[in-house]
């Protein structure tokens, strides 16, 4: 059976694609709003960005329990409407010039809280829309849309901000969330089994035990936490290298980062076939190993001393970005599909929230750690440290029990 025959999933995919584009537009519009409209500094931009992710660190495990207690479609609809209303409020407050950095941060903490619950329900909702054998393919379609949005969303956002201004660009995203809520509300799906009532602490422990005592989920989770730490370090250091050592301007930086999105689109196109042919574990192990060499290519890019070295540096960086994005595209749908396949319905919210919250916590640690190492040791030394971490993650994954994991062998 083909995915397009599942009309509920098609509606969900359209809703997800629409909101994904809106999310990348909002990310750029908020940065412009802080700097250009509000006269903020780079530090203000950092605090505003961090405020969106703070709820993931503080409330992630609680969100998983609550999502398992409620109908996931209801959570998705309510959180989409709520996020649309918050962005509309920010737009009108910006137009009337009554917004401040502190108030914006407060509103974005609320926005991030709704996004946390939406993300937990979103990842747990897919198994209710398609049969389990189609989970990897369904996640590949969702990842493809996300990769396209990541590639073109910032460019669209830049055009919108230039054309109508940052506040109205946020309003555009608000409309995308409202459109998404209408589509999801119209979805007919098989309802999930609700979690039996119990203490919050007990249910959090049940979710943690499920993830960290599972034969394959445990090594997958621990390795992914470490990967997020070194990935966030790497991305922080690379952007500084591109702008300072290689002399890229903002426009060229955007094109370079978009190369990873192109690679991700290619990777997601092959993800399902790679999982079937080689097994999910081996295909993911290949991806984890590929990250290190991809960043090594970028680390070897020569400093921009003349036009020839600039072209060589650009070639090294683009090829490295393509491979890095390709690895992410291969493993993303496989990891999500496997997690959803082996996890019972009543654990889906807690499983997804547990992994997402700890992964986001690793980002909160890794990004400033990368910047600190770069300031103290130099960009290239710090980058080679993060490369070493990515290589260790690849070797660790390849030697773990997860390497042998196959969907067809999983117990449900």
């Amino acid at each position: 059976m083909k995915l397009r025959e599942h009309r509920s999933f098609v509606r969900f995919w359209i809703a997800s694609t629409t909101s994904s584009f809106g999310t990348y537009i909002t990310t750029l519009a908020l940065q412009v709003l802080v700097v250009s409209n509000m006269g903020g500094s780079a530090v203000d931009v950092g605090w505003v960005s961090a405020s969106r992710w703070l709820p993931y660190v503080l409330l992630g495990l609680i969100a998983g329990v609550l999502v398992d207690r409620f109908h996931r479609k209801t959570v998705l609809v309510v959180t989409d409407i709520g996020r649309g209303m918050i962005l509309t409020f920010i737009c009108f407050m910006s137009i009337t010039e009554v917004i401040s950095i502190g108030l914006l941060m407060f509103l974005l903490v609320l926005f991030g809280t709704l996004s946390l619950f939406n993300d937990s329900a979103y990842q747990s909702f897919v198994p209710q829309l398609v049969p389990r054998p189609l989970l990897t393919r369904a996640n590949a379609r969702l990842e493809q849309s996300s990769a396209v949005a990541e590639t073109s969303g910032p460019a669209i956002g830049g055009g919108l901000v230039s054309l109508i201004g940052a506040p109205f660009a946020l309003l555009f995203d608000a409309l995308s969330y409202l459109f998404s809520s209408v589509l999801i509300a119209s979805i007919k799906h098989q309802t999930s089994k609700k979690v039996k009532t119990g203490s919050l602490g007990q249910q959090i422990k049940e979710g943690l035990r499920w993830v960290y005592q599972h034969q394959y989920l445990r090594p997958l989770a621990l390795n992914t936490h470490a990967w997020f730490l070194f990935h966030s370090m790497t991305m922080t250091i690379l952007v500084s290298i591109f702008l300072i050592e290689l002399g890229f301007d903002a426009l060229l930086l955007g094109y370079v980062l978009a190369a990873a999105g192109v690679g991700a689109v290619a990777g997601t196109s092959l993800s399902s076939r790679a999982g079937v042919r080689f097994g999910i574990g081996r295909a993911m192990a290949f991806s984890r190993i590929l990250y290190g060499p991809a960043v090594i290519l970028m680390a070897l890019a020569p400093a921009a001393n003349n036009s020839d070295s600039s072209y060589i540096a650009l070639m090294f960086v683009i090829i490295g970005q393509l491979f890095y994005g390709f690895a992410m595209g291969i493993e993303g749908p496989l990891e999500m599909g496997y997690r959803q396949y082996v996890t019972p319905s009543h654990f889906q919210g807690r499983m997804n929230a547990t992994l997402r919250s700890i992964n986001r916590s690793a980002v909160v640690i890794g990004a400033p750690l990368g910047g600190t190492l770069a300031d103290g040791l130099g960009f290239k030394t710090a980058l080679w440290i993060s490369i070493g971490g990515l290589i260790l993650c690849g070797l660790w994954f390849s030697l773990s029990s997860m390497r042998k994991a196959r969907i067809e062998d999983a117990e449900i």
Side-chain angles (χ1 to χ4, degrees):
M1 186 174 289
K2 297 181 179 180
L3 278 175
R4 63 173 175 265
E5 296 176 9
H6 296 271
R7 295 183 179 179
S8 293
F9 174 77
V10 172
R11 292 186 182 188
F12 180 74
W13 174 66
I14 294 172
S16 171
T17 302
T18 304
S19 60
S20 290
F21 273 95
T23 298
Y24 285 104
I25 292 171
T26 289
T27 299
L28 186 142
L30 281 173
Q31 293 171 340
V32 175
L33 179 70
V34 171
V35 175
S36 300
N37 295 67
M38 303 176 65
S41 65
V43 174
D44 292 326
V45 173
W47 280 112
V48 167
S49 298
S51 63
R52 292 177 64 185
W53 302 113
L54 185 61
Y56 286 82
V57 179
L58 300 178
L59 303 173
L61 299 179
I62 297 174
V65 173
L66 296 180
V67 165
D68 280 337
R69 287 184 176 183
F70 296 98
H71 290 297
R72 285 151 195 164
K73 186 174 84 169
T74 302
V75 175
L76 289 169
V77 172
V78 170
T79 52
D80 269 346
I81 293 173
R83 290 189 293 178
M85 291 174 64
I86 289 174
L87 290 180
T88 302
F89 192 49
I90 293 174
C91 170
F92 287 120
M93 291 186 70
S94 301
I95 294 170
T96 55
E97 298 183 352
V98 296
I99 197 166
S100 64
I101 295 294
L103 180 56
L104 180 60
M105 288 176 59
F106 172 74
L107 291 172
L108 288 177
V109 167
L110 296 180
F111 182 89
T113 302
L114 293 175
S115 295
L116 165 63
F117 282 92
N118 187 276
D119 287 344
S120 298
Y122 169 93
Q123 294 178 340
S124 309
F125 193 48
V126 178
Q128 297 175 230
L129 303 179
V130 298
R132 288 182 179 268
L134 292 180
L135 280 173
T136 298
R137 207 181 308 170
N139 281 290
R141 293 293 175 271
L142 294 171
E143 291 284 343
Q144 281 177 331
S145 297
S146 179
V148 172
E150 181 182 0
T151 303
S152 56
I156 296 173
L160 277 174
V161 170
S162 299
L163 184 64
I164 61 178
F168 287 105
L170 292 175
L171 189 60
F172 182 89
D173 189 18
L175 293 175
S176 77
Y177 283 126
L178 295 177
F179 175 76
S180 173
S181 69
V182 171
L183 271 183
I184 292 176
S186 67
I187 289 175
K188 295 180 180 179
H189 68 291
Q190 185 177 12
T191 57
S192 61
K193 178 183 177 182
K194 287 188 179 181
V195 175
K196 296 179 180 179
T197 56
S199 70
L200 189 67
Q202 178 184 357
Q203 291 181 14
I204 288 176
K205 288 179 183 178
E206 288 176 353
L208 290 170
R209 279 198 298 268
W210 171 257
V211 172
Y212 294 108
Q213 291 183 2
H214 192 278
Q215 179 183 5
Y216 294 133
L217 286 184
R218 181 176 182 272
L220 173 61
L222 294 176
N223 190 272
T224 301
H225 300 334
W227 180 86
F228 266 94
L229 175 73
F230 292 111
H231 165 75
S232 59
M233 287 175 59
T234 301
M235 291 299 105
T236 300
I237 299 165
L238 277 177
V239 170
S240 298
I241 289 177
F242 294 161
L243 292 173
I244 298 172
E245 292 204 350
L246 300 183
F248 293 173
D249 59 22
L251 181 61
L252 187 56
L253 175 64
Y255 285 125
V256 164
L257 296 179
V262 174
V265 172
T268 52
S269 300
L270 299 174
S271 181
S272 299
R273 278 175 280 181
V276 170
R277 174 142 189 196
F278 303 108
I280 280 181
R282 287 185 172 84
M284 287 188 63
F286 165 77
S287 296
R288 294 283 163 108
I289 289 174
L290 185 58
Y291 290 118
V295 183
I296 288 175
L297 272 175
M298 292 182 269
L300 295 177
N305 297 321
N306 52 58
S307 59
D308 289 337
S309 61
S310 295
Y311 286 123
I312 294 172
L314 185 60
M315 180 182 68
F316 272 72
V317 168
I318 288 178
I319 294 175
Q321 285 284 101
L322 284 169
F323 279 124
Y324 201 92
F326 180 76
M328 294 180 71
I330 287 284
E331 77 158 319
L334 295 176
E335 178 186 351
M336 183 58 65
Y338 185 80
R339 282 161 44 183
Q340 292 169 341
Y341 190 92
V342 302
T343 301
S345 176
H346 59 285
F347 274 126
Q348 287 281 342
R350 282 171 285 177
M351 177 273 293
N352 286 314
T354 295
L355 292 174
R356 179 173 284 270
S357 62
I358 298 179
N359 289 341
R360 290 295 180 269
S361 299
V363 172
V364 170
I365 296 171
L369 178 60
T372 302
L373 289 175
D375 285 342
L377 303 176
F379 293 133
K380 286 298 178 73
T381 302
L383 185 59
W384 282 106
I385 291 174
S386 69
I387 289 171
L390 290 174
I391 291 174
L392 285 176
C393 285
L395 293 175
W396 171 15
F397 192 97
S398 300
L399 296 174
S400 73
S401 60
M402 183 62 200
R403 178 179 60 86
K404 303 175 183 178
R406 299 178 64 91
I407 279 282
E408 52 268 33
D409 299 331
E411 296 183 5
I412 304 174

